[in-house]
Amino acid sequence: MTLTPTVSDDVRALAPGFTHIAVEAHGLVGGPSNDAGSALLDDATRRLAARLDGRAPHEDPHMAAWRATYTAFGSKPSRTRNSAEALARRALSKAGLPRINLLVDLYNAVSVARLIPVGGEDADRIEGGMRLIRATGEEDFVTVAGGEETVEHPDAGEVVWRDDAGVTCRRWNWRQGPRTRLTEETTSGIFLLESLAPMPVAEVTAAAAELAELLAKFSPGADIAVRAPEPSA
């Protein structure tokens, strides 16, 4: 199975400096968080602190670009932060980074260390293709609130990832739905690394290579493919 995420023209018009790279992997070995994954998260926090050199995450030029883009589609970036900024803030807090499961810990480590939003989806739970669009407001986003499954709808014009069954991630990379998230039982995954100018394409390419190496290290024999970066025109 090959998944090739697509980006709509109106999203490209909104963010002409957008680049995404997909890393697709089959034959993954998941499982719970472990000491090795935890050590990677700790190292990622150290790399983040060195990168920021005393600045707050939102002061980084890449994070500032994401805040401007969130504002452009009607979201409040101080309330609904992109996933990399949210993780970075958590990493630098007393709480530290959460340990979710091995596969999530691996991509979170790359996201934090490099300040790049990275998402992971269970490829076996994706229906049809993945596409990044501006929502009409009628799409279904199945999530959990108060312990109960509930259906939300994105705002009209909101940037969302979706498949044939509905929205998989709201506000670009803010909140993922439970239907397609990676679990301890996941064996096939699609990982999306997303960047905006002024981050060089070479930097997100290096991040994708780092993630692919980690997946190969923790899942020997897995079939891993890194798609070419797809910058906007």
Side-chain angles (χ1 to χ4, degrees):
M1 179 181 181
T2 298
L3 289 170
T4 303
T6 61
V7 180
S8 68
D9 289 342
D10 53 358
V11 171
R12 293 196 181 279
L14 175 74
F18 175 61
T19 299
H20 74 282
I21 300 180
V23 179
E24 187 170 355
H26 300 277
L28 292 170
V29 179
S33 299
N34 58 28
D35 290 344
S38 185
L40 285 171
L41 290 170
D42 289 340
D43 182 62
T45 299
R46 289 189 288 269
R47 290 168 64 186
L48 170 69
R51 182 188 189 97
L52 291 174
D53 192 24
R55 295 174 299 164
H58 70 268
E59 295 175 303
D60 178 87
H62 191 213
M63 296 297 93
W66 276 105
R67 282 191 166 221
T69 300
Y70 268 49
T71 299
F73 67 79
S75 183
K76 294 183 178 180
S78 60
R79 181 179 300 172
T80 55
R81 298 178 176 89
N82 76 81
S83 63
E85 182 183 335
L87 276 175
R89 287 170 56 89
R90 180 73 181 267
L92 298 174
S93 72
K94 290 183 179 180
L97 287 168
R99 275 56 173 167
I100 307 299
N101 61 57
L102 179 58
L103 295 177
V104 174
D105 292 349
L106 294 183
Y107 79 72
N108 277 350
V110 173
S111 177
V112 168
R114 294 181 177 269
L115 267 184
I116 294 173
V118 183
E121 307 280 0
D122 190 318
D124 291 332
R125 299 185 181 188
I126 296 292
E127 298 189 23
M130 292 182 64
R131 48 201 184 273
L132 188 66
I133 64 164
R134 299 198 70 175
T136 64
E138 298 180 358
E139 297 87 353
D140 288 344
F141 177 69
V142 180
T143 186
V144 175
E148 298 290 334
E149 184 176 286
T150 184
V151 178
E152 298 177 356
H153 303 282
D155 299 327
E158 182 182 325
V159 178
V160 299
W161 280 103
R162 69 158 301 162
D163 65 1
D164 289 354
V167 173
T168 57
C169 193
R170 286 199 59 190
R171 298 198 175 107
W172 210 313
N173 47 42
W174 167 63
R175 194 209 304 174
Q176 183 184 30
R179 173 172 60 90
T180 58
R181 67 177 49 151
L182 301 176
T183 69
E184 295 181 12
E185 289 74 40
T186 295
T187 59
S188 294
I190 180 96
F191 302 85
L192 292 171
L193 297 89
E194 303 178 300
S195 69
L196 293 170
M199 176 169 278
V201 173
E203 193 164 342
V204 68
T205 301
E210 180 179 357
L211 177 58
E213 290 173 6
L214 286 174
L215 293 172
K217 176 182 177 180
F218 284 85
S219 297
D223 182 9
I224 301 170
V226 180
R227 310 285 178 227
E230 295 193 21
S232 294

